[in-house]
Amino acid sequence: MSTPMIVLLVILAVLIVVAVVLYFLGKKMTKKKEEQDAQMAAVAQTIPLLVIDKKKMKLSESGLPQAVLDQTPKMMRRSKMPIVKAKVGPKVTTFLCDAEIFDQIPVKQQIKATVSGLYITGIKGMRGPLETVPKKKGFMAKLKEKAGM
């Protein structure tokens, strides 16, 4: 066998091993996420909130309690997270929000939110349905529109 053929076989073997490892890690992480979602659903409660402000910011700048910051992984502390400041009764509280519903949360309006600890997992309109935010058009969609297609 020639040297390039051996190199290609070694690279192929390494890629196959990496693919198998990623498959099993993905399966394990999926199972872990399902368990966490079940736990969050078990302790979730619906409460009325008056949303004061919402932003994507670093956890260290968000004003969350120190206990929450200590529990988060080091990599997550540097990344920007969706943060919602809301008034619950007479008290202003800082919540983390699910990234999927962050864009739907209206500012300076009252909503009913499904909250699990300090994490907002779902929202409903207090007085009727919420306004849906139109999705941003992609680059190619804008070009097609300009071209008149």
Side-chain angles (χ1 to χ4, degrees):
M1 279 185 150
S2 65
T3 307
M5 188 66 138
I6 294 172
V7 171
L8 284 174
L9 288 174
V10 169
I11 291 173
L12 183 65
V14 169
L15 287 176
I16 290 172
V17 168
V18 168
V20 169
V21 168
L22 286 176
Y23 172 75
F24 285 112
L25 279 176
K27 226 173 168 181
K28 183 178 177 183
M29 296 300 279
T30 304
K31 189 182 293 184
K32 189 175 180 182
K33 174 142 177 41
E34 288 173 357
E35 290 173 5
Q36 288 174 346
D37 288 344
Q39 287 176 348
M40 286 182 69
V43 296
Q45 55 187 351
T46 303
I47 57 174
L49 301 174
L50 176 63
V51 178
I52 297 171
D53 189 23
K54 69 174 188 171
K55 297 182 192 179
K56 289 192 177 189
M57 58 175 52
K58 294 181 181 177
L59 285 180
S60 57
E61 302 168 354
S62 66
L64 287 167
Q66 188 63 35
V68 174
L69 296 177
D70 293 339
Q71 290 178 355
T72 55
K74 298 228 185 249
M75 295 291 284
M76 294 298 289
R77 293 180 195 171
R78 294 186 187 135
S79 65
K80 291 190 175 188
M81 302 285 292
I83 305 291
V84 176
K85 289 193 188 251
K87 189 172 181 183
V88 182
K91 187 176 175 185
V92 175
T93 309
T94 304
F95 292 99
L96 287 169
C97 180
D98 196 5
E100 297 168 359
I101 62 165
F102 181 70
D103 293 330
Q104 298 173 0
I105 295 177
V107 179
K108 299 200 184 342
Q109 285 188 7
Q110 202 165 16
I111 60 170
K112 282 187 180 179
T114 305
V115 177
S116 180
L118 290 177
Y119 195 74
I120 299 175
T121 57
I123 59 169
K124 295 179 208 162
M126 193 74 150
R127 297 172 183 86
L130 290 172
E131 297 177 15
T132 56
V133 179
K135 279 193 160 188
K136 291 183 179 178
K137 290 184 180 179
F139 180 72
M140 292 301 289
K142 288 179 184 176
L143 283 178
K144 285 181 181 178
E145 187 177 299
K146 284 183 181 179
M149 294 177 120

